[in-house]
Amino acid sequence: MSAAPDDPVYRNPVLDADWSDPDVIRVGDDFYLTASSFGRVPGLPLLHSRDLVNWTLVGHALHRLEPESEFAVPRHDCGVWAPSLRHHDGRFWIFWGDPDQGIFQVNAPEIRGPWTRPHLIKAGKGLIDPCPLWDDETGEAYLVHAWAKSRSGVKNRLTGHRMHPHGTELLDEGKVIVDGDRIPGWFTLEGPKLHKHDGWFWILAPAGGVETGWQGAFRSRAFFGPYEEKVVLEQKDTDVNGPHQGGWVRTPSGEDWFLHFQQRGAYGRVVHLQPMEWDPDGWPVIGDDGAPVAGHRRPDLPPQRPAAPATDDDFPGGRPGRQWQWTANPRDGWATHHSADGLRLTCVRTPDAHDLRALPHVLTQRLPGAPCTVEVDLRLDDGEPGARAGLAVLGDAYSWIGLERGTDGAVMLVHRFAETAAERERDAAPPRPAPGGRARLRVDIGAGARCSFSYDTGDGGGDGAGEGFRPSGQVFAATPWRWVGALLGLVALAPTGQGHAGTATFTQFRIRIQEKRADR
C-alpha cells in the first residue's frame, strides 16, 4: 500500500496483490524485487523502489517459458517458483526452480536487460527455491535449494552445493545441510535465502506451510554446516497468518528490513515490510519482537512519491501494459498492433471454448487485495457466429461477462461461470441483447473477494435508455489456483471452425480501489 511522502508511518501490506515469494536487493540507492510468476508470460517481474514502501513494475526478466512446447498450454501452478535476485560482478542474477525441470539462471547488465536466455544449471525433479551466494572474502560461490515432495518424494530439507563463480554450473553432487526432520516441530522447510554476515553463513528459510508457517534463521561458520536454528518471525497474536518467505535488505544508513508474504486466499500472497534488528547473541529480530507489524516508522530513506504497480490501461498502439501476462507462451496473431488506442484481440478458435481455464490466450493481471471496482469497454467487431469476448475473474472456479455473436448475427450480452470441479461453464444469467455490439463491463469486488458483475449496453439493458449499469447473476466468490491468487482476465475466443472468427476491442480498462480494505 503506497504511502504519502510526508507520512512518517507506512502500512502493510506494501504490495497488496499476489507478488508471491518476493526477494529483494539493493544496488546503490535503488531497491529491486522479483517474485514467482509460475506459468504466466512474461515471467519474473521486476519491481523498483527508492524507499521500500512505494514500488513500480519496470519489466520482466523472462519473456518466454522453456521448453516452449511444455508451456504452449496453461500450467498455472508450474513454471517459475520462488526466484532469488542478486547483484554480483556488475550484473543482476536471478535463479529459480522449475519443479518439473530443475534450477535455472538468467542474468543481465542492467535491471531492464537485456536478460540472457534461461540456462539450466541443475536438471532434476522437485528442485525448487534456489539461492546463490558469492563469498567476497574467499572467492568461493555456493548455492542452496529446497525440495518439492510432489515431484521428488522429498521435502523439509535444504541441499547445498559449491558453484562455479561464473554461476553456470554446480561443482558437486550436493549435500543436505539442514534436515528439517531432525528439528522438533519443523515441517515443510523451503524457500531458503543465503547470506554471509558477521562471519556467519546465514540461511533465512520459512517452514510450516504458506498459510500457517513461520520464518526461520539458520547460521553456521561453514557453508556445509552444522547449522543452528531459531524462529525469528511468526503470527503470535496478530492477524497476519503464516508470515514468512522473503528477502532481507540493508539500507545505505545501515537499517535492516525484511520483505515477506502473507497468504490471503483468492488475493494470493501479498507483501509486507518488517523492521529487522539483531539481538545481543547475533540473531535477527524481525517485526515487533518476532511478530509482524501492521505499520511502522518508514525506512530512513529519501521520500518517494506514492507509487504502486500499474493497473489501468488504455492500450496505446494496441499494446498491453507490462502489468499484463498471458496464461501460456504467446503466439503471433493473438493481439493486433495498430495506430490507435485499444486492445484488439483475435477471437481465437479453440476446442476449449467451454472452459476459460484451458485457454493459453487469456490476458491477465493480478487481483487487487483491497475492495475495488474493475471496468472495461468492449466492442465485438464483425465476426462469425459463436465469437465471444469478455472480462473474467479467473481461478480454480471462474466467472466472466461479455459479448457473443449469435447464429443470426445479433450480439448478445452473456454472463457465464464454472465451478471448481466443473468441466464446462454454465449461464450465470439469461443472455440479453447488446445493440451495436458494445458494452461497458464491471466487476465490483468486495471483502472476501466476492464479485458482483454488471453491464451497461448503452440502452439501459433493453428496458429504456440511460439507466446505466445493471446487475447480472449471483455474487461470485473468487477462488485461487493452488499456488496462485485469482486473476483478472481479458479474453476473446470462438469455437472450432473454418476461417477468421473476427476480433474484439477492449478500451479504458480501469481499477478503482476503495478506501476500506478487504478482510481487515
Side-chain angles (χ1 to χ4, degrees):
M1 185 178 187
S2 60
D6 58 350
D7 188 344
V9 174
Y10 72 88
R11 294 163 185 83
N12 278 315
V14 293
L15 284 167
D16 201 1
D18 187 23
W19 301 94
S20 179
D21 313 318
D23 195 23
V24 62
I25 60 170
R26 178 177 66 87
V27 180
D29 294 326
D30 298 286
F31 298 92
Y32 300 103
L33 180 147
T34 192
S36 296
S37 50
F38 298 97
R40 303 194 302 279
V41 182
L44 290 173
L46 302 167
L47 286 78
H48 171 255
S49 177
R50 286 287 184 93
D51 65 358
L52 290 172
V53 174
N54 296 280
W55 294 88
T56 57
L57 179 64
V58 297
H60 291 83
L62 186 62
H63 297 291
R64 298 188 74 81
L65 288 162
E66 297 186 6
E68 295 258 349
S69 59
E70 294 290 325
F71 293 96
V73 296
R75 302 181 67 205
H76 298 288
D77 299 314
C78 302
V80 177
W81 284 22
S84 292
L85 175 63
R86 293 293 181 264
H87 189 260
H88 168 71
D89 197 25
R91 298 186 71 84
F92 292 88
W93 302 77
I94 301 178
F95 288 69
W96 75 93
D98 180 317
D100 300 301
Q101 299 183 72
I103 295 171
F104 287 90
Q105 170 258 103
V106 292
N107 60 86
E110 305 290 343
I111 195 68
R112 290 172 174 82
W115 289 85
T116 60
R117 285 188 60 178
H119 174 71
L120 183 65
I121 65 170
K122 183 180 181 182
K125 296 285 188 179
L127 308 177
I128 58 169
D129 308 351
C131 185
L133 172 70
W134 287 269
D135 189 338
D136 293 333
E137 296 178 4
T138 65
E140 296 290 321
Y142 305 95
L143 182 134
V144 63
H145 70 82
W147 295 86
K149 187 175 181 179
S150 60
R151 272 66 163 193
S152 66
V154 175
K155 73 168 188 176
N156 206 33
R157 64 191 64 173
L158 306 179
T159 296
H161 294 266
R162 293 179 60 244
M163 183 178 72
H164 194 291
H166 290 168
T168 55
E169 61 182 315
L170 303 179
L171 301 180
D172 56 32
E173 294 300 314
K175 174 186 175 183
V176 174
I177 57 176
V178 180
D179 186 346
D181 290 344
R182 295 179 178 272
I183 307 174
W186 284 59
F187 60 96
T188 317
L189 177 63
E190 57 187 353
K193 295 294 182 281
L194 182 58
H195 302 271
K196 185 79 176 290
H197 169 67
D198 197 26
W200 296 89
F201 286 91
W202 287 92
I203 299 174
L204 301 180
V210 295
E211 295 184 352
T212 58
W214 58 88
Q215 179 67 36
F218 300 82
R219 70 181 182 185
S220 174
R221 291 297 185 183
F223 172 69
F224 287 103
Y227 283 85
E228 52 184 326
E229 81 283 340
K230 186 176 183 179
V231 174
V232 294
L233 181 69
E234 55 187 328
Q235 181 173 354
K236 296 189 177 181
D237 60 354
T238 74
D239 64 353
V240 180
N241 60 294
H244 67 256
Q245 189 159 331
W248 160 38
V249 67
R250 176 166 287 179
T251 69
S253 66
E255 289 184 346
D256 292 303
W257 296 86
F258 186 73
L259 284 143
H260 68 91
F261 77 71
Q262 175 199 9
Q263 173 69 36
R264 291 190 58 223
Y267 302 114
R269 301 174 182 180
V270 303
V271 178
H272 292 237
L273 176 65
Q274 303 293 337
M276 176 171 155
E277 297 179 341
W278 301 85
D279 71 15
D281 295 325
W283 288 94
V285 180
I286 300 176
D288 180 9
D289 195 25
V293 299
H296 193 269
R297 173 190 57 80
R298 294 166 61 102
D300 180 21
L301 292 164
Q304 181 178 332
R305 292 181 179 178
T311 56
D312 294 354
D313 206 347
D314 288 318
F315 309 106
R319 292 171 171 83
R322 53 174 70 102
Q323 68 266 34
W324 297 95
Q325 296 170 293
W326 298 100
T327 48
N329 280 329
R331 303 172 198 168
D332 292 340
W334 286 357
T336 303
H337 295 169
H338 51 87
S339 58
D341 290 352
L343 178 69
R344 189 176 300 161
L345 294 183
T346 299
C347 295
V348 177
R349 291 194 180 276
T350 172
D352 295 312
H354 57 280
D355 189 349
L356 300 190
R357 294 164 295 198
L359 303 184
H361 56 277
V362 183
L363 194 61
T364 68
Q365 66 166 282
R366 293 162 179 83
L367 185 75
C372 64
T373 296
V374 183
E375 291 185 8
V376 68
D377 280 331
L378 170 62
R379 183 184 75 237
L380 192 60
D381 302 319
D382 291 340
E384 295 295 313
R388 67 201 74 158
L391 169 65
V393 178
L394 191 65
D396 275 342
Y398 72 84
S399 186
W400 71 280
I401 191 168
L403 300 173
E404 180 174 0
R405 189 174 299 278
T407 55
D408 60 356
V411 176
M412 303 295 288
L413 189 289
V414 297
H415 181 191
R416 298 189 176 122
F417 76 102
E419 299 170 83
T420 298
E423 296 182 357
R424 303 182 69 89
E425 63 186 25
R426 296 189 288 142
D427 284 334
R432 301 172 175 88
R438 296 172 178 266
R440 185 146 182 90
L441 310 173
R442 175 188 285 177
V443 185
D444 290 295
I445 305 172
R450 293 174 62 82
C451 304
S452 299
F453 289 78
S454 57
Y455 65 94
D456 182 0
T457 55
D459 69 343
D463 296 327
E467 295 183 17
F469 281 93
R470 297 173 63 85
S472 180
Q474 300 298 313
V475 171
F476 169 76
T479 63
W481 309 96
R482 186 178 184 189
W483 307 124
V484 181
L487 301 167
L488 299 171
L490 302 178
V491 63
L493 66 147
T496 53
Q498 299 297 317
H500 186 62
T503 60
T505 301
F506 295 87
T507 54
Q508 297 184 44
F509 183 92
R510 298 288 184 269
I511 297 180
R512 299 194 304 274
I513 302 293
Q514 301 174 21
E515 289 188 9
K516 185 177 180 180
R517 301 168 63 80
D519 301 335
R520 296 290 176 190

